Amino acid sequence: MNEFLNNLNSSQLEATLQTDGPMIVIAGAGSGKTRVLTYKIAYLMTQGVDPFNILSLTFTNKAAKEMKERIISIVGDEAKNLWMGTFHSVFARILRIEAHKIGYTSNFTIYDSDDSQKLVSRIIKELNLDKEQYKYKIIFSRISSMKNNFISAQNYINDDELLLSDKISNRPKFHEIYKQYVERCFKAGAMDFDDLLLKTNELLNSYPETLSKYQNIFKYILVDEYQDTNHSQYLIIRSLSDKFQNICVVGDDAQSIYSFRGANINNILNFQKDFPDSKLFRLEQNYRSTKNIVNAANSIIENNQKRLKKNVWTNNESGEKISVNKLLTDGEEGRFVASSIFENKMQQQMQNRDFAILYRTNAQSRSFEDALRKKNIPYRVYGGLSFYQRKEIKDVLAYLRLLINNDDEQAFKRIINFPARGIGLTTLNKISVEAKKNSVSDYNFIKNYSKSSSLLNNSTKNKLLDFIVMIESIKTKLESHDVFDITKEVLKQSGLYNLYKNDESIEGINRIQNIEELLNGIKDFVENNDKSQVSVSTFLQDVALATDQDSESNDDNKVSLMTIHLAKGLEFPYVYIVGLEENLFPSAMNLNSRSELEEERRLFYVALTRAEKKINLSYVLSRYRWGKPVDSEKSRFIDEIKDEFLENSIIQNSISRNFSKNEEFNQVGVRYKRPEKKPPSNFVKIKSSNEKSNLFDSKLVIGNIVIHERFGKGKVVSIEGSGGDRKAEIKFEKNGTKKLLLRFSKLRIIS
């Protein structure tokens, strides 16, 4: 019955079979931690544990979905009853059940960061504060930090030290913004992401019977990526697991890279102190990367003092050593990487999706985008504007949000006059003032009080009431129709569909296509969920709690460009880690303490361990900052990699400069500085630019013996094409048969 356990190695099996009591699984990169979590849950079910009593927490909905599907394939549909999902989605589910205890309705809205930031911006404007001094993103970030540290708005106001800090930083009104933000969210029946954790803690702390209820439900708790949990998540996990203590956490301290989001590495480092009776398991075999990559990554992370002991190893092949590329400018770095990708595609018959370019900050993507476009190499930049953040999509979602929560202030203000209904800002301000006097939301003021208002003329009243009638008429269908039918009704009655359909500009065409894609996504949501789970409310929660990785797809055959933070959890055959310069990586902002530097090193470790076969590192001598070239210095992280895992020479690109006598072309058509020391025995000299090239020489015929810098000695099997498209199929003695585009192959005929 448990034949699926045969797929585990001895370490994975040992961790899987341990069912009771607290346990921690330290899982190195690529060691199969997800498999252990998946099989552990399946094993618990085969041992008679009710899936309703199992709570599994992840950091992406995508991971939860894939795990659940795998468990279903092992033990059957009973696994659909598992409590499995992200922290935010599971706690939102609990809060909807228990909402009345903390003053909310079960249909509360979940504000995403965009909604929250817009509300903060509006409050700053209403308080007539200097928007440069009170930058809304910084203010919202501080509010988020306060919530995650359990400092309420009222506690903040009573804390003289915090108030003094705001005064010194010239933001003495922060406490007023914080107070109004909390009040406005509550009045709107809305919670932001931080509230989902804060309110869950509040619920468990304030209602012992509720805590006891969920402790008895969640007899087994499993937590993925435990090193990424923040203090609020940590407290919830401790509370829920306190009774049975059947808690299993899985993670890797070497991949803790989210302190800027509040993640606390001490949660995983101190687990055995929190649970003295806990058992420790280590997953140390890497199945992803070559020996050179695994050992290079180990040599980096050894420099961190704050870490858990483990020895990651692999049975994979040794693989290629890591290349270090020194370029003159960021523009040349982009051209070098694009040329290298182009050559590898040609010579190795690889796909675009096999390559990833990883950088420390989003701003670095430009030079690589420019270079890839010029090479006609398709690419995708991750971390850009999410589909659900596009204006036309947010417009539709705002209508849906208002349908289920009439108090949703952000949704109301977004759509009351869109499409245009002749309801201006002056009217909206009057409504807000009157609504506050009557202690109701703007929507409910219009619905219940506007007819008798002396501040509004009859024409305006009619326009407002027409809007209310439209919303109320659609609301009558909420119980009997699924979210797909409701959305079509919204598009029709609101006029949104016709507005974009009649816009023949490029923007209008794109927007109508996005709306059609939204409908496709909603249809897919309806068809892939039970009938009880296809309401507007469940769909909106699904969208609101989507994570960055959930919205990304690896189906497109494109080169991936992304920050290293976004790359966590992904893997690629070829990885380019770029911008390895002091004050860029490691970041100048994170060099103030050892803990900050060690997190930067963990980030580099994560970047290295994304690669399966080959890593190229690059840094530049001069990088543009605000339009001016600034000298750069090689990152200390490069020097921390042991020499035995690096190639013998550092490639130095100088595409736009004159040749010096000791420079030659390398295989990607850029120059490198020949090393002074004696070259390795397998080194093959490449023809200098002033020597006659034999790439298109008619003397190259089937049967020729040739030398290639990377693949070594081989025999020409066939030749096809002509001119720049001429290709040769060559059978190499040690690397098998390759088909090479001759203009990039730099072959040398030896017989």
Side-chain angles (χ1 to χ4, degrees), residues 458-505:
N458 288 333
S459 175
T460 300
K461 289 178 184 178
N462 290 335
K463 292 172 185 175
L464 292 168
L465 289 171
D466 285 345
F467 174 78
I468 298 296
V469 168
M470 176 190 66
I471 297 295
E472 293 295 319
S473 67
I474 301 175
K475 276 178 65 177
T476 62
K477 302 178 181 180
L478 285 175
E479 294 296 326
S480 57
H481 292 68
D482 61 39
V483 62
F484 180 74
D485 292 332
I486 294 294
T487 305
K488 286 199 301 182
E489 195 69 20
V490 162
L491 289 168
K492 177 183 175 183
Q493 290 204 37
S494 69
L496 278 176
Y497 188 81
N498 285 336
L499 176 72
Y500 290 128
K501 188 72 173 176
N502 295 331
D503 183 353
E504 297 181 357
S505 68

Side-chain angles (χ1 to χ4, degrees), residues 243-260:
K243 182 173 183 178
F244 292 100
Q245 298 213 349
N246 294 324
I247 178 169
C248 170
V249 302
V250 182
D252 182 5
D253 58 297
Q255 298 187 65
S256 179
I257 59 174
Y258 291 116
S259 65
F260 67 95

